[in-house]
């Protein structure tokens, strides 16, 4: 990315640090949280590797902390996606913190950062149609549903997942947000 720190009203988005892995493991080991994450629940080793891989200049994710309690409650993915000036955005939060608008608050901050500081042209996001909370966040951001791919992701036991594909252009964001 790399992102140092972005503060919102209730959250702090910051670069991962080595000792974050336990907090990451707390929610990434929860099968209910990881239902729509293709690799499934993390082991402690996978959580450690995820944190290590996302430190430094090649980071693809940032930690999200709840400022009042200084607790790491989730992470946001935000990284280049195939073509110049396009990033993919994504989100995973601890189940105890769902439904408070935190993913949307973190996403709005990253989208601002992407268009204002990184001068991105386009931000995309994907999810499964059954993952209503995820595509609701996309729609609250003002992203448009550009595609519904049918049975495009192979799953175990001869299952296939559909996928929604959303996008937001810089000009759409600035038009909607008045800057
Ligand atoms: C997706 C996720 C990050 C959303 O986090 P969050 O902080 O709860 O999101 P927000 O509170 O900002 O917004 C969620 C929206 O979805 C809505 N929602 C949640 N579950 C819903 C459901 N089953 N049916 C309809 N709407 C639902 C909420 O009401 C809210 O919309 P609203 O503000 O219009 O009421 C969280 O659910 C999560 O971590 N899920 C597991 C990981 C995951 O699937 N990540 C995405 C992979 S593509």
């Amino acid at each position: 990315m790399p992102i140092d720190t972005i503060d919102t009203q209730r959250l702090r988005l910051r670069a991962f640090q080595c000792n974050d892995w336990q907090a990451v493991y707390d929610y990434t080991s929860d099968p209910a949280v990881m239902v729509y994450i293709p690799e499934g629940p993390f082991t402690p080793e996978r959580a450690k590797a995820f944190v290590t891989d996302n430190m430094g200049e090649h980071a693809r994710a940032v930690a999200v902390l709840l400022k009042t309690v200084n607790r790491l409650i989730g992470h946001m993915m935000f990284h280049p996606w195939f073509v110049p000036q396009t990033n993919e955005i994504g989100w995973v939060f601890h189940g105890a913190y769902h439904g408070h608008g935190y993913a949307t608050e973190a996403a709005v901050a990253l989208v601002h950062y992407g268009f204002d500081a990184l001068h991105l042209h386009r931000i995309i996001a994907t999810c499964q149609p059954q993952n209503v909370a995820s595509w609701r966040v996309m729609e609250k951001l003002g992203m448009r549903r550009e595609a519904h791919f049918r049975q495009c992701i192979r799953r175990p036991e001869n299952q296939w997942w559909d996928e929604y594909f959303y996008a937001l252009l810089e000009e759409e964001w600035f038009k909607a947000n008045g800057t």
Side-chain angles (χ1 to χ4, degrees):
M1 226 163 316
I3 286 174
D4 184 19
T5 301
I6 299 174
D7 277 334
T8 68
Q9 191 186 349
R10 298 177 294 173
L11 306 173
R12 170 160 294 172
L13 283 62
R14 64 146 171 79
F16 273 109
Q17 302 167 358
C18 275
N19 57 4
D20 288 334
W21 77 266
Q22 181 72 58
V24 170
Y25 177 66
D26 281 350
Y27 61 90
T28 56
S29 58
D30 181 349
V33 166
M34 302 300 273
V35 168
Y36 296 111
I37 306 299
E39 60 188 305
F42 283 8
T43 60
E45 291 67 36
R46 181 68 192 97
K48 284 177 193 168
F50 176 83
V51 168
T52 306
D53 292 348
N54 284 298
M55 291 167 54
E57 63 177 306
H58 299 297
R60 290 163 60 85
V62 287
V64 181
L65 283 78
L66 189 58
K67 287 197 291 192
T68 48
V69 288
N70 195 33
R71 178 172 180 189
L72 195 161
I73 62 165
H75 64 262
M76 299 290 296
M77 304 301 301
F78 197 57
H79 52 82
W81 191 82
F82 290 113
V83 292
Q85 293 175 281
T86 296
N87 265 25
E88 179 171 12
I89 191 168
W91 29 72
V92 181
F93 280 73
H94 193 299
Y97 296 90
H98 290 180
H100 296 277
Y102 294 139
T104 303
E105 187 170 322
V108 165
L110 272 188
V111 168
H112 262 298
Y113 175 79
F115 289 134
D116 286 341
L118 301 180
H119 305 293
L120 296 176
H121 179 61
R122 180 172 155 89
I123 295 174
I124 70 102
T126 68
C127 70
Q128 278 52 67
Q130 303 94 316
N131 196 351
V132 182
S134 191
W135 59 259
R136 279 294 303 142
V137 174
M138 295 170 199
E139 296 198 339
K140 287 193 286 180
L141 283 174
M143 302 182 91
R144 282 170 294 99
R145 188 183 299 167
E146 292 191 337
H148 179 171
F149 297 110
R150 308 283 176 179
Q151 300 191 11
C152 60
I153 300 176
R154 191 85 161 102
R155 299 297 298 159
E157 297 171 8
N158 217 19
Q159 300 285 313
W160 292 89
W161 276 354
D162 285 11
E163 187 158 82
Y164 281 164
F165 187 103
Y166 278 77
L168 178 66
L169 294 173
E170 177 189 23
E171 67 196 51
E172 294 169 331
W173 174 257
F174 286 129
K175 191 172 172 193
N177 291 279
T179 38

